[in-house]
Amino acid sequence: MKTGRINTVILSLGIVVLLILMVKLFLIDAQQEQSHSLGKLKKNKAQYSAIPDFAAIPDIGEKKQAFFDYLRPAITHHNAIIQDERKFLLATQAHLNEGLSVSEAESFRVQQIASKYQYSLRSVSNDTLETLLMRVDTIPENMVLIQAANETGWGSSRFAREGMNFFGQWCFKKGCGLVPQSRTKGLSHEVAVFKSVDDSVGAYMRNLNSNAAYGLLRSIRADLRAQGKPVKAEDLVYGLMHYSERQEAYIDELLEMLRHNNQYLVENNEQRPAV
């Protein structure tokens, strides 16, 4: 009987020791995994679409052209949507100037457009349409391309490759995107994740056309329109002062990139193969 009790005690102690060893091994693995993640982006569980490996293209000129050709269709698409919205608003404004009343269908679509560009529209009038038209306007293609190249290192950044984010845009809901390891303590923003390059470009354009931080950009554009002058990237880029903490240095860098990459930005590259 005594021998049986001793064996039971020994067996119980063995089980306890085994459990302790298993817990220690689990903690060690967790610590190693955490140490490997230092200095890297914390990524959501969702899988993101891959983009072409622009960094693997050895010729710099070919890489730049491939990057621009990859983005250009999405830019053309969203500028066409904006142009259609603007054309509709101008037609509605013309109706008012002719003394005609705005139909219920027209009013509904105006409200939809206003909501898209975060403009609170209480009534459809000449003045409110004029204000809305400052937001509903196209963005020069070459400015979009250059800013994307600057923000992503010509498509090589992890934010672009893993999150389809070509413009460094943030989001503020937990789990909405990629969490940069270098994020300042106390901040909660993440780098937004998009399903496609089309979504990324669309969000970027809405941001420039609605965010209060880029009111100067919209004012410059409206002034150029009023004077009958072409809206050029070299003029609008000054409205991006608040896009980066670097401010003036950021603007100077974008202007230099516009000058230096002009041969890849002209619109005669449609016959060149994209990656």
Side-chain angles (χ1 to χ4, degrees):
M1 295 292 292
K2 291 183 179 180
T3 302
R5 291 178 181 176
I6 292 173
N7 288 337
T8 301
V9 172
I10 292 174
L11 179 61
S12 299
L13 289 173
I15 293 173
V16 171
V17 171
L18 180 61
L19 289 173
I20 292 173
L21 288 174
M22 290 176 64
V23 170
K24 286 185 176 181
L25 287 173
F26 175 79
L27 292 175
I28 290 172
D29 289 340
Q31 289 174 351
Q32 288 178 342
E33 184 178 352
Q34 183 178 9
S35 65
H36 288 318
S37 68
L38 293 178
K40 297 182 180 180
L41 290 173
K42 300 175 183 177
K43 191 173 73 171
N44 288 354
K45 295 180 180 180
Q47 295 295 318
Y48 307 120
S49 301
I51 68 171
D53 187 2
F54 298 109
I57 303 175
D59 184 84
I60 295 177
E62 289 183 9
K63 177 176 70 174
K64 291 180 176 181
Q65 193 63 65
F67 180 73
F68 287 158
D69 288 346
Y70 178 71
L71 288 176
R72 188 172 277 114
I75 300 169
T76 301
H77 171 68
H78 283 285
N79 267 334
I81 292 174
I82 295 171
Q83 188 60 45
D84 182 68
E85 294 167 337
R86 183 175 178 83
K87 183 179 179 180
F88 170 77
L89 293 177
L90 288 170
T92 303
Q93 190 178 51
H95 291 167
L96 290 175
N97 290 334
E98 293 169 3
L100 302 174
S101 59
V102 177
S103 68
E104 186 175 338
E106 283 180 314
S107 179
F108 179 75
R109 189 179 179 195
V110 170
Q111 290 288 353
Q112 282 187 316
I113 295 173
S115 177
K116 174 182 175 180
Y117 293 94
Q118 299 179 25
Y119 177 61
S120 180
L121 187 71
R122 295 184 178 180
S123 62
V124 179
S125 66
N126 203 314
D127 289 339
T128 56
L129 287 174
E130 194 66 34
T131 302
L132 183 55
L133 281 164
M134 290 183 65
R135 300 190 179 211
V136 185
D137 205 344
T138 55
I139 309 291
E141 180 182 276
N142 53 348
M143 190 180 87
V144 181
L145 292 171
I146 282 298
Q147 201 171 7
N150 183 282
E151 292 290 334
T152 65
W154 297 95
S156 64
S157 74
R158 295 193 69 188
F159 296 128
R161 291 187 290 108
E162 298 180 11
M164 281 288 182
N165 190 327
F166 292 87
F167 304 95
Q169 295 189 95
W170 290 0
C171 58
F172 299 92
K173 183 178 179 180
K174 187 175 181 180
C176 63
L178 305 172
V179 181
Q181 187 66 37
S182 59
R183 185 175 65 182
T184 303
K185 186 177 181 180
L187 297 181
S188 60
H189 71 274
E190 298 181 14
V191 179
V193 167
F194 299 98
K195 294 181 180 179
S196 66
V197 61
D198 190 77
D199 288 347
S200 180
V201 171
Y204 159 82
M205 288 189 171
R206 286 193 300 275
N207 187 32
L208 293 191
N209 280 334
S210 59
N211 196 314
Y214 312 115
L216 175 60
L217 180 146
R218 299 191 290 273
S219 293
I220 294 172
R221 185 175 58 190
D223 287 343
L224 292 171
R225 295 285 188 204
Q227 297 175 49
K229 296 181 179 179
V231 177
K232 296 181 179 180
E234 291 80 2
D235 297 318
L236 285 197
V237 74
Y238 290 98
L240 297 173
M241 188 70 70
H242 298 296
Y243 204 96
S244 169
E245 293 179 350
R246 297 169 56 219
Q247 296 193 333
E248 290 89 350
Y250 183 69
I251 302 303
D252 291 340
E253 189 169 280
L254 292 179
L255 288 170
E256 178 59 27
M257 289 182 71
L258 281 167
R259 288 190 290 266
H260 188 69
N261 295 283
N262 185 62
Q263 60 180 312
Y264 308 109
L265 292 166
V266 291
E267 296 185 8
N268 61 353
N269 298 308
E270 296 301 323
Q271 301 303 318
R272 299 198 182 193
V275 171

